[in-house]
Amino acid sequence: MQANALFLILAAVITGAVVPFQAGANAVLGRTLGHPLWGTVVSLCVSFACILPVMALARVEAPTLSNLAQAPRWVWIGGVVGVVYITGALMLAPKLGAAGFITAVIAGQMLASIIIDQWGLVGLPRKPVSWSRLAGLGLIFLGLVVMQVQAVGVKPPASS
């Protein structure tokens, strides 16, 4: 494996590692503010406030807003998905726990990713489903079941 690919994988793992912290922090934020949706609003405002100085330091040029007229309408789903994810995380993580929530999120992400790849949706290249990819997806869902056995009330067999 090339060093560049290894770096990208490591960066993705680190990116994923911060998600459970976000879910927990947002859950407490929603409870503190009295409603999960207020937690979502504040979280998104903090995100906005954090990205502005980064963009200034990186000297990112202002976008050409007229280009949005030519963009496909589905490009707006990113913001909607962000709200769904943040709200879902702050409502579900306290009930499922960090590991249970993230396992379910990963299972959902992988299912959607297989569908996106199969048909080349949302501007990504088409990558047909293969048996090995379906097997990997099955293992992820098996992992979800294993992680959630206790949460759904199935008790492990008593040891003798």
Side-chain angles (χ1 to χ4, degrees), residues 11-27:
V13 168
I14 292 169
T15 300
V18 302
V19 173
F21 294 96
Q22 178 194 33
N26 283 343

Side-chain angles (χ1 to χ4, degrees), residues 68-136:
L68 286 176
Q70 285 83 37
R73 295 201 194 282
W74 54 257
V75 298
W76 299 102
I77 66 172
V80 174
V81 169
V83 169
V84 169
Y85 176 76
I86 291 171
T87 304
L90 63 91
M91 293 174 71
L92 299 170
K95 292 174 175 48
L96 297 173
F101 172 71
I102 293 300
T103 305
V105 166
I106 291 169
Q109 288 174 337
M110 291 307 300
L111 177 61
S113 296
I114 291 279
I115 293 167
I116 289 168
D117 282 352
Q118 172 65 26
W119 286 286
L121 303 176
V122 295
L124 295 174
R126 191 172 180 275
K127 187 169 183 177
V129 174
S130 65
W131 285 109
S132 62
R133 293 181 74 176
L134 286 175

